[in-house]
Amino acid sequence: MNINLTLFGQMIAFVCFVLFCMKYVWPPILAAMKEREQKIADGLAAADRASHDLELAKEKAVERLKEAKQEAAAIVESANKRGNQLVEEAKGAALVEADRVKASAQAEIEQESNRAREALRSEVAALSLAGAEKVLGAAIDQEAHKQLVEKLAAEL
Amino acid sequence: MAAAGETLTISGYIVHHLTNLTYGKLPAGFERHAADGSVSVVPEGGMWTMANEGTEAAAMGFTAIHVDSMLWSVGLGIVFCWLFRSVAKKAEAGVPSGFVNVVEMIVQFVDDTVRDTFHGHNKLVAPLALTVFVWVFLMNLMDLIPVDLIPHTLALLGVPYHKIVPSTDPNITMGMALGIFILMLYYSIKVKGFGFVKELTMNPFNHWVFIPVNLFMEVVGLLAKPFSLGLRLFGNMYAGEMIFILIAALFSAGIAWLVPAGLLQMGWAIFHILIITLQAFIFMVLTIVYLSMAHEDH
């Protein structure tokens, strides 16, 4: 337990170690720790920003969805309108067509009945002539009575 | 183990454990007692040699050096530098692992303590505090190595004395305390300039009549700082070491003492883990506080 030169030896060693620590140990370790701290802070900030962005995106998505729904509703509505319009148009066209068909059918019927009437008329003429022939028992002068019979037939 | 000329008594055992391996200059005319009983007288001009016993070490006075203390203290300092330098090289902003974590935790702890206590701007204080903390801790840690293990092994190899706990040597603790004292003076003068003189002379009685009284009180207060710093560590570690030695001496008291002594040894060692850390921490905190005081103008 004597005080001796060890005192100064320790002082010199102390100075050396402190200088070494100050120069080669403390700065790199602290710099690395500071850098990591910064990195973590940045990471957290980025995460915050990302969650904020997500929130915004969600809001946007909801808005877009709403818009899309409205648009779809509008489209459906206009389609319905158009459909109704088409139906109306088709109905009109069909009516016109039906009228046309009816008219032509009527014309045909008219024609047919006329033709039938004509045929009948000639038939009746022939028949009445034949009938008259039988009744009279004598041949009617075809040429002489033809005019009469035809007049009769025309009256039918 | 007893060196030449000593018998193995309890007090001899304890004294032996408390003697440093000393290399120094024996004064002229000193009588050396060799192991075989022959006496040789140190010639004119003195002689540099390794002390063979405590009386020789005492006779060397100031011109001596505790080889064991210096070797262990410098060795542990190098261990500290090497460990922390290896981490400093590896340190990067990525994910730390293993030992890097431990070192960063210590650095963070020291940095926080310095930030809490020291408010000036000084690049030296934090590395100084780290060095003080880890180095003192490592020196104190040697206390937990069984007291006979290394000294006895070395004794078998022919080294007569060996103390492996540098912080039980007042030279070591006072050496550090004096280093810090010089820093305190340097920064006091550098930061306060003439204010330092004023602080020494005009406190606590602010009148020129009281200058001698003030100066006396302030100088005593100033000198008390390094002494309390160095002697506190020394006293604590010395007492702890002493108790380890006493417990170790118990083992020689007979087979019946084996178990109680073993339990005592273990208990004290576990308690000592707290003490060595606490003393290293106190030494560091006081270092920071003293330097902080040197930086603050009143």
Side-chain angles (χ1 to χ4, degrees), chain B residues 240-272:
Chain B
E241 174 81 341
M242 184 71 105
I243 290 179
F244 272 121
I245 295 167
L246 288 174
I247 293 170
L250 262 187
F251 284 108
S252 65
I255 197 97
W257 276 100
L258 216 58
V259 173
L263 284 177
L264 271 175
Q265 170 97 36
M266 203 172 76
W268 184 242
I270 291 169
F271 180 58
H272 220 62

Side-chain angles (χ1 to χ4, degrees), chain A residues 1-11 14 17-18 20-22 24-26 28-29 32-33 35-36, chain B residues 62 64 66 70 73-74 77 81 84-85 92-94 104 108 111 124 126 128 131 135 171-172 175-176 182 234:
Chain A
M1 255 216 285
N2 314 301
I3 292 293
N4 52 34
L5 287 173
T6 315
L7 192 71
F8 294 113
Q10 176 71 5
M11 265 171 80
F14 186 37
F17 290 136
V18 169
F20 181 87
C21 178
M22 191 176 154
Y24 299 109
V25 174
W26 189 264
I29 293 182
M33 284 163 69
E35 204 183 321
R36 185 177 317 126
Chain B
F62 194 76
H66 290 158
M70 277 321 298
S73 133
V74 172
C81 286
F84 277 63
R85 178 63 191 157
E92 41 144 26
E104 286 195 355
Q108 184 74 62
D111 196 39
L124 173 72
L128 173 77
T131 311
W135 197 17
N171 289 294
I172 295 294
M176 294 179 83
I182 291 168
F234 161 70

